[in-house]
Amino acid sequence: MRNQLEFEVFGSYALFSDPVTKIGGEKFSYQVPTYQSIKGIVESIYWKPSLLWYIDEVRIMNPIQTESKGVRPIDYTKGGNTLAYYTYLRNPRYQVRCHFEFNPHRKDLIYDHNEHKHHNIAKRALQAGGRRDIFLGSRECQGYVEPCVFGEGKGFYDEVPEVDFGLMVHGISYPDETGKKERETRLWRAKMQYGVIRFIRPEECTLVRKTGEGFMKSFDSTNMESVDVLYEEWFPRGGGSE
Amino acid sequence: MSWLATLNQTYENHAHVIGQFEKKANDREYALIPVSHTTQSAHIEVILDGQGNFITAKVIDKSEASTIIPCTEASASRTSAPVPHPLFDKLIYVAGDYTRYCGEGKGTPHADYMEQLLSWCESPAAHPKVKSVYTYLSKGTLMADLIREKVLWVDEQEKLIEKWTPTLEEKYGERPEIFKVIASDQSAAFVRFAVQIPGEAESRLWRDPSVQQSFVQFYDRLLSERDLCYVTGEHLPYADKHASRIRNSADKSKLISANDTSGFTFRGRFRNSRDAVSISYEVSQKAHNALKWLIDRQGFIVDGKVFLVWGPDRLEVPDPFGDTFSLYQDEEEASGDLAHKEYANQIRRAIGGYRFDGDYKAKVIIMVLDAATPGRMSIVYYRDLNKELFLDRLQQWHETCLWLHRYRKDGENRTISFLGAPSSRDIAFAAYGPRASDKIVKVLIERMLPSIIDGAKIPLDIVRSAVNRASNPVGMEEWEWEKTLSITCALVNKTYEKEGFTVGLDTANKDRSYLFGRMLAIADVLERRALGRDEKRATNAIRYMNAFAQRPGRTWTIIQSNLQPYQARMGTDAGYYNRLLDEVGSQLKAEHFTDRPLSGLYLLGFYSQRHELYKSKKEKDSEAEQINENYEMGEDVQ
């Protein structure tokens, strides 16, 4: 696929909080990552407001295991801390296939639409382990990314025809992705077939709720540097070394 | 599927048992309760006729007190503020003449109650029996009727008696029933109604499915706010509050609650909890009722931690925390001491009893709940496993973490020996001693789960701790040490799973620890024989066991020199043991005869050698025959 990135992401723990338990403070992880959490990981590797990442599929490599930990979250009213159990996924490892498209709601950033350069920067960023910290669902779950060939290697669920995870959060739509002035939460029915979850695109989700308001931050050439300018700055005579 | 969806599905799958009471081993009743209902202990039963006239009333015995009552979202989670239940409730709500006998209370509980009941009776979902309750209660004579029937008791000032005192006892005789069933004073009594109509079998309103249905329909109309349900994906009436009292009737902790004001659990991204997640009333009710029912039915609780295993389609699944012997409970020919091969067959049969044709897609759910603080409960472990896989793994566990145990007793209190895996709870006691606190036990039980259902290695600290305790026989009573020893052997056996140790003695094994263990057993048996039956004191081998495990080379010389008088006493009878000692000792290489501490394997050598020496001649002969037969049939011998 055009502008595609394939990588493996792993860590010791992951916590893709299920909103049902999150609101009470006793966080319990979903069994598999949400679309939004993977999108966050990809955006940590490389992102610019002019592009949107789309997650195509995720391959679950290791068995889904949970482990609970006693934690001491801060009590913001009384001070000090309270007690809770967080239940994490243990030893997660996923292969991800994703691609980027230019943000159609960012007409103001058309000057930055140099597909080939963005793609190459993204690949180099992945090679370096991402531009920002990678984390699996929650900030305390540090993760690592590595380029890989999607589908290579043996996964734990390769032989399992289907696992149904039921209704899950797909992600949150922000104003700059939809062009609307509101924030929406999307739900979908997640299914794993032979270890692979094929995500539907955000606009294909039929179960959508309005869950807040927001606005689109404006970008233009005064507060964002285009790739071409950056390239010129780094390689004044058109590169040559590449 | 998510845990909520699975619980919801379990409820749907067992809709045919809703409202049916079953009895637990301790005689307590439990049931799968309908939506918009909860259970409560009632104290007084009032019997009316179809026209709303009082017939009689009685005090309910404690064993029958459990009552399914209709409730609203607000009444189910009421605290100090008065919120009436729709039909059955305390005197303060249902009795119109309450203030005459008890004085004024907060708010207008009776008026609120009557208003709510009236709206039910006027709705299209109304039920004739509920109407007669309304007719009766609008007369406002309940307390007077109960006092006349000698259910409630008043003093000279026409006030309810708070406490039954010895002076009252002199005056009226024996303590009335009501004071036996209620902990606080009479005014807190909970009332339920029965309406007798000629020709109708079920007069008890709390057991009448048509009354339950009537309320569900009535309440359904009241819930108007719809939202997208995060479990079903449909637009359904939205649940504002979720159930508490999940583990027991006094438990206030909830699985689902919103805590943004102090915990800041969703601030910034969402304005309120409903933006963050919305769950339909029906799903919340069904899932929580199913969970409570399952916990009552087949869960077990250690220090507040709930361990629950069930199948959403067929509830019954073998208990992964139990020992092998408990698997056989239903089997007729549950004999203990078996040859390895027969044992494997027996396990297969016992577990096979849970396999059914055509349900290869069935699932088993393992759920562990615990609360870190009193208000909130947390899911600390959740596994959704294919049932076949679960049974295979369980079978593997019983076939690999096995040893010969003698600590179980049968129905007639006789000690029986059984081959198999120990229960998680017994492992905890073997590793941490019999006085291990429930806090430690509950953590261990949870930590054993991956070993049992994923085939993972048993955590090393558990094995090490058990080996240390089993190496110290002087520290405990004999039965306790024997129990610890056989459980530790099972754990060690599982740890060295690949090497395939069995209870039967492996004379070909040249492992240093194993051989040292065998020598210790020979010394123990030799001395025990020499001491005779009447002498109960511990042998030198047992006394030095701990030191032996730490410094085998040096300690062995001590044991051996202490053994000499007994060898002398036994004379030629000791010949067999001496030869055996020489034989085992000669297999130890010179460089192995050092003070390097022994591994857990020495316990296996010790146990197997001792078992071998204590076997009667008859047993050995029959075993030899068995082996010969197997050879002839061309099967391999284990």
Side-chain angles (χ1 to χ4, degrees), chain B residues 45 64 114 156 302 352 361 382 391 394 422 550 613:
Chain B
E45 188 171 322
E64 291 171 359
M114 291 306 278
E156 288 84 0
V302 184
K361 272 186 132 175
Y382 182 81
L391 294 175
L394 204 59
Q550 298 306 317
L613 288 173

Side-chain angles (χ1 to χ4, degrees), chain B residues 325 334-337 404-418 479 482-483 486 607:
Chain B
F325 187 70
S335 68
D337 202 349
L404 182 64
H405 307 282
R406 293 186 208 280
Y407 55 83
R408 287 286 292 242
K409 298 222 162 102
D410 66 2
E412 278 125 53
N413 213 21
R414 280 176 308 205
T415 307
I416 40 164
S417 60
F418 74 99
W479 67 266
E482 289 289 348
K483 182 174 175 178
S486 67
Y607 195 107

